[in-house]
Amino acid sequence: MPPADHDAGAVEPQEPAGGLERLVAERRAKAESLRAAGIDPFPREFPGRRAIPEVRDAHEALEAGQEGTDAVRVAGRLTARRGQGKVAFLDLEDRDGKIQLWASVDRLGEEAMARLLDLDLGDLLGVEGPVARTRRGELSVAVSSWTLLAKSLRPPPDKHAGLRDPETRYRQRYLDLMSSDEVRRTFTVRARTITAVRRFLDDRGFIEVETPVLQPMYGGAAARPFVTHHNELDRDMFLRIAPELYLKRCLVGGMERVYELGKDFRNEGVSFKHNPEFTMVETYEAYVDYLHVAEMYEQLVASAAEYATGSTKVPWRDEVLDFTPPWRRLDLRDAIAEASGIDVRDHADEAALRAGMREKGHDAPDDTPWAKLVDHLLTQTLEPGLIQPTFLLNYPLELSPFAKRAPGDPDTVERFEAFAGGMEIANAFTELNDPDDQRERFLMQQRDREAGDDETQPMDEDFLSALEHGMPPAGGLGFGIDRLVMLFTGHTSIREVILFPALRG
C-alpha cells in the first residue's frame, strides 16, 4: 500500500543563504555536473506527455491505497518538495493543473532517487509511472522514471508569497505567470474572449480582413500617432490609430460585412485604462444602422462573457456586472444634464459651456473646443457612475466626424458609446457615406487643428475618392479587447490584462 504523503504544511528545504548570485552559481554548478556525467540538462523533447488535468480526470475513481495499471507520462515545473531519504513527495505543475509525484528508492533505485532529490524548485521535468491514490487520498504519479527537461538556473518566486512589486510583475511577466494561478487564469480568459469574439462574428457572416498597420496617413479616431520614417520610400509613416477608413474601403468594394481584430497605437498618456498599444476590434456591416449594431454588440459581449467566464454575470469590485441583453439605453445629453446639472443644448458655444461648467465646479480647460468640453463633462460626471452595461445614444455632430446625421436634427449624429464598470467599452455609428458631407467634416476638423487641437483627423483625399464611388449605408463598431477582459476578470488596471504593458524606461 502506498505510504501516507506528507501534509502540505510539511517543512520545505530552504535555499542556501548568500544571495541571488550564490544561488545562481550553485544551480549552474549542478548543470555542469550533469553535463560531466553525460546528462543533457536541456534535452530536446519528451514525447507522449499528457496534460495533468487529463490524467487526474482519468484516474479520479481510484480509491485510497489503489494503484492504476497503466503508466502515464506528465511534464511540468517542480514547485514543491516534501520528505527526503527513501520516500519523497513533489508537486509538478503544467499550464492547466498540478499533481503530486510519489518518489521512492524502491521504484527508482538509489542513484535516480538521489538525483531527483538534488533537483531545484523551478526545474522542468518529465515523469513516467502509474497513477496511485495515497492513504491520505492524494492522487499521485508513482515515479518509475524521470527526465530533467530544463535546468532552472535562477530560483523561482516564492510560490506562496508571489510577486509583490508591480514593476517586477509587469517587466518580468514570466515570473508573475509562474508564481500565480490567478494571473495565468486572467490570460486564459483573455484568449477565450478573443476566440469568442471571432466565433460570434464569423457565425454572423463577417469576414476577417487585415489592413495596414503602417499607414501613409493615419485616421479614424481622435488621437496622436506614432511616427516613423521609411528609408527606401523616403517618407514618414504612421502606426495606425484605427483601421476604420481602410475597412470602409472594403465596404465600397462590396465586401458588406468585414471586421479586423488587431493592434492599434496611440501616442497618448498611460492610465489605468490606457496603454499606447492595445487590441481593438472594428466591424462594418452594410445596410444596417447604429441601433442594429447596439443589439449585435450586447449579444456579442454576453456570448463572450459566457464562453470566457462561464456566465453573463461577472463579479466586479463589490458588484456583479450583468451583461445579459438588453442593456440600459440613455440619451447622451439628458444623461449629462442629470449627472452634471448642465444641459449642453443650452450652452451652444465653447465660452458659454466653459462658464457653465466652472459655475457648477467642473474642470473646464481654456482653449478647448466645445465638443471636447462636452467630452470632459461626460468623463468627469457621468462615466464613473455607469457601472452596469449602458448605451449612451445620439451625440453632438462636433464629437463625431464619421457619423451620419440624425433625421430631422442636423446637429445630432446617430452614434452610441457603450459603458460598463465606469469606463467606455465600445463606440459605434451609423456611418457617414455622403462624400460631400464627409468633406465638410474633414474641413471642420482642419479648423480645430489650426486652432491647436493636434488630435484631429487630417484631410484624407483618397478616402473621399473611395466614398465617391459609393459606400452602402452601414453600421460600424469599435471596441477594445483589453477593457472587456478587465471587466471579465475583475481587474481595474489595463496593465493586469496585457502580458507586457508599456512601462517607463
Side-chain angles (χ1 to χ4, degrees), residues 131-191:
V131 179
R133 194 176 292 279
T134 66
R135 290 203 303 265
R136 290 185 181 272
E138 181 66 27
L139 208 60
S140 307
V141 176
V143 183
S144 57
S145 66
W146 64 273
T147 303
L148 178 64
L149 300 178
K151 181 64 187 173
S152 175
L153 300 179
R154 290 177 177 269
D158 184 275
K159 187 65 179 176
H160 300 291
L163 292 176
R164 304 279 179 89
D165 177 45
E167 284 286 308
T168 302
R169 292 183 56 236
Y170 302 145
R171 292 185 188 277
Q172 297 176 277
R173 181 69 85 180
Y174 50 91
L175 296 179
D176 199 23
L177 292 164
M178 187 188 302
S179 63
S180 172
D181 297 338
E182 185 59 31
V183 172
R184 291 199 300 274
R185 191 191 80 84
T186 291
F187 291 102
T188 299
V189 169
R190 183 186 178 98

Side-chain angles (χ1 to χ4, degrees), residues 415-430:
R415 173 187 178 186
F416 75 73
E417 288 186 299
F419 295 82
M423 62 185 173
E424 182 238 319
I425 60 170
N427 186 27
F429 312 141
T430 301

Side-chain angles (χ1 to χ4, degrees), residues 86-158:
K86 296 186 178 298
V87 177
F89 295 92
L90 308 93
D91 289 343
L92 190 74
E93 287 192 19
D94 67 8
R95 185 189 71 179
D96 298 310
K98 177 174 71 173
I99 198 164
Q100 180 173 267
L101 305 180
W102 164 34
S104 68
V105 171
D106 291 343
R107 287 183 187 267
L108 288 172
E110 296 282 353
E111 182 181 350
M113 184 70 173
R115 284 195 292 107
L116 179 62
L117 294 179
D118 196 43
L119 293 177
D120 293 305
L121 298 187
D123 287 349
L124 290 147
L125 65 152
V127 170
E128 182 171 352
V131 179
R133 194 176 292 279
T134 66
R135 290 203 303 265
R136 290 185 181 272
E138 181 66 27
L139 208 60
S140 307
V141 176
V143 183
S144 57
S145 66
W146 64 273
T147 303
L148 178 64
L149 300 178
K151 181 64 187 173
S152 175
L153 300 179
R154 290 177 177 269
D158 184 275

Side-chain angles (χ1 to χ4, degrees), residues 163-299:
L163 292 176
R164 304 279 179 89
D165 177 45
E167 284 286 308
T168 302
R169 292 183 56 236
Y170 302 145
R171 292 185 188 277
Q172 297 176 277
R173 181 69 85 180
Y174 50 91
L175 296 179
D176 199 23
L177 292 164
M178 187 188 302
S179 63
S180 172
D181 297 338
E182 185 59 31
V183 172
R184 291 199 300 274
R185 191 191 80 84
T186 291
F187 291 102
T188 299
V189 169
R190 183 186 178 98
R192 291 179 66 83
T193 300
I194 291 171
T195 296
V197 167
R198 280 197 164 107
R199 180 179 298 167
F200 180 93
L201 294 171
D202 291 345
D203 288 347
R204 290 177 73 100
F206 283 82
I207 298 172
E208 183 174 9
V209 298
E210 296 174 291
T211 65
V213 173
L214 196 62
Q215 300 179 345
M217 177 174 289
Y218 65 94
R224 282 187 295 270
F226 289 94
V227 186
T228 187
H229 188 78
H230 193 294
N231 292 331
E232 183 65 25
L233 299 179
D234 191 24
R235 66 179 302 181
D236 285 343
M237 305 286 279
F238 305 93
L239 288 178
R240 72 177 177 201
I241 60 174
E244 176 173 344
L245 303 189
Y246 283 94
L247 292 173
K248 288 181 177 177
R249 289 172 169 91
C250 293
L251 290 185
V252 172
M255 297 191 77
E256 294 189 354
R257 291 182 184 179
V258 294
Y259 78 94
E260 184 165 11
L261 192 159
K263 295 290 188 181
D264 289 348
F265 306 85
R266 298 181 186 176
N267 198 352
E268 59 190 7
V270 176
S271 76
F272 78 93
K273 59 182 179 179
H274 292 95
N275 192 67
E277 173 185 352
F278 57 99
T279 304
M280 279 286 291
V281 180
E282 291 204 19
T283 75
Y284 292 86
E285 180 176 1
Y287 313 118
V288 304
D289 68 359
Y290 76 135
L291 297 178
H292 172 93
V293 175
E295 292 179 4
M296 182 187 78
Y297 181 64
E298 64 190 358
Q299 292 167 17

